Amino acid sequence: MFFIKKKRAVFFKNWSESVHCLPNHYEEPEDLHALKNIIERAYMEKETIRVVGSGHSFTPLVATSEVLVSIEKLSGIEKIDRENQLVTVWAGTPLKELGLQLHKVGYAMENLGDINEQTIAGAISTGTHGTGAEFGNISTQVHSLTIMKADGQLLHISPNENAYLLNAAKVSLGLLGIIVKVTLRVLPAYQLTSHSYKESFMQCLQQLELLRRSNRNFEFFWFPYTDTVQIKIMNEDNYSITETKKQNMFKKVVIENGLFFVLSEVSRVVPKTAKMISAASAAGVPIGTETAHSHELYATPRLVKFNEMEYCIDAKYMPDVLKEIDTLIRTYEFAVHFPIECRYVKKDPIWLSPSFERDSAYIAIHMYKGMEFKRYFEEVEKIFAKYNGRPHWGKMHMMQYGQLKQVYPKLEEFLDLRKELDPEGMFLNEYVRELFHIR
């Protein structure tokens, strides 16, 4: 996320630099009183507010020409309930920092995604997830939360207080109010052993049910135009943690990211080399075993920038969808060398969660920053649509309101609640107005 200050305004760009805006006001409140003042002033001046976390969404969810609020100073652990294993954190806490802070007090989140730069509020607001057949997305770890409404008042939402709002607020796209605190269910700190190895594409597809049911965490990366898949599994254990952390980090950051950046630049300049570079990447895919504390293993450094689309489908359709994508890529000869990332997530009751009421497979496609991606994304999206795919809210997609209503059964009820909590539309921007036909 980048900010270039210009008088009262800033120029905002997200991580991938696919979204940018020039808001009239940029604010970084240090406490709830300051945040309430911002809301009251915006109300008086008839301005809208969007809230930004770490800028890791690929869609214009936070883009605004009016008031952009960063919650990065509302950060850290506020309260620990050891009896019930609940930890209350400020909403602007980055997942990376949260992992460290929880570990210091003997706890850990039950699951995380492969990027940990997002704030906890941003992660739950967009339905961010990790992988594991027995784990939901990060929002399912939320016990309760507190939002500041459009009138500046705090609203506590929990199983015992305003419970009717809970499954709407857990994935809300920032449309119900500004999340200021989140109470999470946590686990005693644990460690994982990660094992990475290569497998053939078809053999991987044939073993999917076994792999996802017999491992705590399972994901795989398939390299287009090749028969190579990198499988990554993680399971809890009590093995000794060796002193190789710095070496592993050097390898991940300098060697893997550095080399992949060079290859990606070649592909950008000469798109016809994509097949060759995908094959080279598959040949050099890292394999091996690593043991560390859980928060140290979930995330992987992602320094090579890209654009991304990710869809959620019924878990049983993972092999069929991947076979169709393989045929599509070879038929159209798309210049793509980024691996396709495949994960599993347990169903949940959260209204706008892509995993709403179905055990899910998530398939993410990427294109290196600066390379043409529109046609590739459009054609793959047609395949996802055949299988009633639901888009990840923080990733690129082209779905319209009519389509979204079909795949998100609770969407209209959510929008009714949005209108109830924010009747003046203070937390809207042009993107969400258009996306949900809000007039």
Side-chain angles (χ1 to χ4, degrees):
M1 179 171 64
F2 302 94
F3 292 112
I4 301 175
K5 293 189 178 181
K6 183 180 179 183
K7 295 182 181 179
R8 291 189 308 159
V10 298
F11 180 68
F12 165 79
K13 290 195 290 187
N14 68 339
W15 176 80
S16 67
E17 301 180 30
S18 60
V19 176
H20 54 83
C21 67
L22 186 64
N24 289 332
H25 299 278
Y26 171 68
E27 305 285 356
E28 293 180 349
E30 296 188 356
D31 54 36
L32 297 184
H33 178 73
L35 180 59
K36 183 176 180 179
N37 287 340
I38 292 167
I39 290 177
E40 291 175 346
R41 189 193 68 199
Y43 179 81
M44 293 295 294
E45 297 181 3
K46 299 188 184 317
E47 290 187 308
T48 58
I49 296 174
R50 290 303 287 166
V51 179
V52 62
S54 61
H56 260 266
S57 287
F58 294 84
T59 52
L61 281 172
V62 305
T64 181
S65 60
E66 299 185 14
V67 181
L68 184 64
V69 174
S70 168
I71 57 171
E72 65 178 16
K73 293 183 178 178
L74 302 178
S75 181
I77 293 176
E78 187 207 34
K79 182 173 61 177
I80 300 173
D81 177 353
R82 293 188 179 275
E83 182 179 356
N84 296 301
Q85 290 191 183
L86 299 174
V87 175
T88 301
V89 302
W90 289 98
T93 311
L95 295 178
K96 183 176 183 178
E97 181 63 27
L98 179 56
L100 293 170
Q101 291 188 25
L102 286 175
H103 184 72
K104 288 179 180 178
V105 295
Y107 290 111
M109 294 182 68
E110 71 174 16
N111 203 18
L112 281 170
D114 62 355
I115 295 177
N116 61 4
E117 301 297 329
Q118 307 98 320
T119 62
I120 184 62
I124 66 174
S125 293
T126 55
T128 297
H129 61 93
T131 189
E134 297 304 317
F135 300 102
N137 61 32
I138 293 176
S139 299
T140 63
Q141 299 172 51
V142 174
H143 170 267
S144 56
L145 45 80
T146 301
I147 66 173
M148 187 171 286
K149 299 188 296 177
D151 60 5
Q153 299 302 306
L154 293 177
L155 178 67
H156 303 287
I157 304 171
S158 74
N160 300 317
E161 194 173 2
N162 299 303
Y164 76 102
L165 292 171
L166 193 53
N167 282 325
K170 285 183 178 181
V171 178
S172 67
L173 312 183
L175 298 180
L176 303 184
I178 299 176
I179 298 174
V180 294
K181 295 180 189 178
V182 181
T183 298
L184 298 164
R185 290 186 296 272
V186 293
L187 298 177
Y190 59 96
Q191 64 185 49
L192 297 168
T193 290
S194 170
H195 183 48
S196 173
Y197 63 97
K198 293 183 185 180
E199 186 61 272
S200 74
F201 181 56
M202 290 307 299
Q203 286 178 324
C204 174
L205 296 188
Q206 292 167 4
Q207 299 173 41
L208 288 182
E209 189 63 22
L210 174 64
L211 287 167
R212 76 187 185 102
R213 292 299 180 190
S214 59
N215 293 287
R216 187 187 196 280
N217 306 102
F218 159 60
E219 64 183 326
F220 63 98
F221 299 81
W222 163 53
F223 293 81
Y225 297 110
T226 79
D227 188 42
T228 302
V229 168
Q230 177 195 19
I231 290 176
K232 295 178 69 175
I233 58 174
M234 292 196 296
N235 291 290
E236 290 187 56
D237 60 46
N238 295 310
Y239 297 150
S240 298
I241 298 176
T242 59
E243 296 298 319
T244 59
K245 184 178 177 182
K246 290 184 179 179
Q247 291 179 329
N248 288 332
M249 188 56 63
F250 177 83
K251 180 180 178 183
K252 291 175 182 177
V253 173
V254 178
I255 299 178
E256 294 176 15
N257 277 276
L259 178 58
F260 194 57
F261 170 74
V262 172
L263 293 174
S264 296
E265 277 294 292
V266 172
S267 186
R268 181 183 65 82
V269 176
V270 187
K272 290 184 179 180
T273 61
K275 292 182 185 179
M276 178 186 69
I277 289 173
S278 182
S281 299
V285 67
I287 59 174
T289 301
E290 180 180 5
T291 299
H293 301 297
S294 61
H295 67 279
E296 297 172 332
L297 274 189
Y298 284 120
T300 302
R302 297 291 183 89
L303 305 181
V304 181
K305 294 187 177 182
F306 51 81
N307 290 304
E308 180 179 359
M309 169 186 284
E310 184 174 38
Y311 264 76
C312 166
I313 56 172
D314 191 304
K316 65 186 178 185
Y317 294 129
M318 175 82 89
D320 300 313
V321 172
L322 288 177
K323 289 175 186 176
E324 289 199 37
I325 292 176
D326 183 28
T327 300
L328 177 77
I329 290 174
R330 294 178 187 274
T331 300
Y332 285 87
E333 296 189 328
F334 289 118
V336 55
H337 66 278
F338 262 73
I340 293 173
E341 183 178 18
C342 305
R343 293 175 284 179
Y344 287 98
V345 174
K346 187 178 181 179
K347 65 182 178 181
D348 62 58
I350 302 170
W351 291 6
L352 292 193
S353 167
S355 293
F356 177 71
E357 293 188 345
R358 71 181 184 195
D359 289 331
S360 304
Y362 283 76
I363 300 174
I365 63 172
H366 311 74
M367 185 65 79
Y368 180 56
K369 178 178 172 286
M371 296 185 68
E372 174 57 41
F373 64 86
K374 191 171 185 292
R375 180 78 186 283
Y376 173 45
F377 283 16
E378 286 176 344
E379 294 300 327
V380 175
E381 191 173 44
K382 292 177 184 177
I383 296 175
F384 291 141
K386 286 174 55 180
Y387 294 88
N388 293 315
R390 297 170 182 156
H392 184 306
W393 296 110
K395 310 295 175 65
M396 291 178 169
H397 68 90
M398 279 72 78
M399 291 194 79
Q400 302 297 314
Y401 177 58
Q403 299 168 300
L404 291 169
K405 284 197 302 182
Q406 295 300 313
V407 297
Y408 286 97
K410 291 283 192 176
L411 177 57
E412 291 187 276
E413 288 182 59
F414 174 86
L415 294 176
D416 288 340
L417 278 181
R418 184 216 65 79
K419 190 172 182 180
E420 174 187 325
L421 292 176
D422 182 21
E424 302 298 322
M426 176 176 284
F427 300 119
L428 300 175
N429 65 4
E430 289 303 313
Y431 173 71
V432 293
R433 281 186 181 276
E434 178 65 25
L435 188 65
F436 299 128
H437 283 192
I438 301 172
R439 304 304 178 197

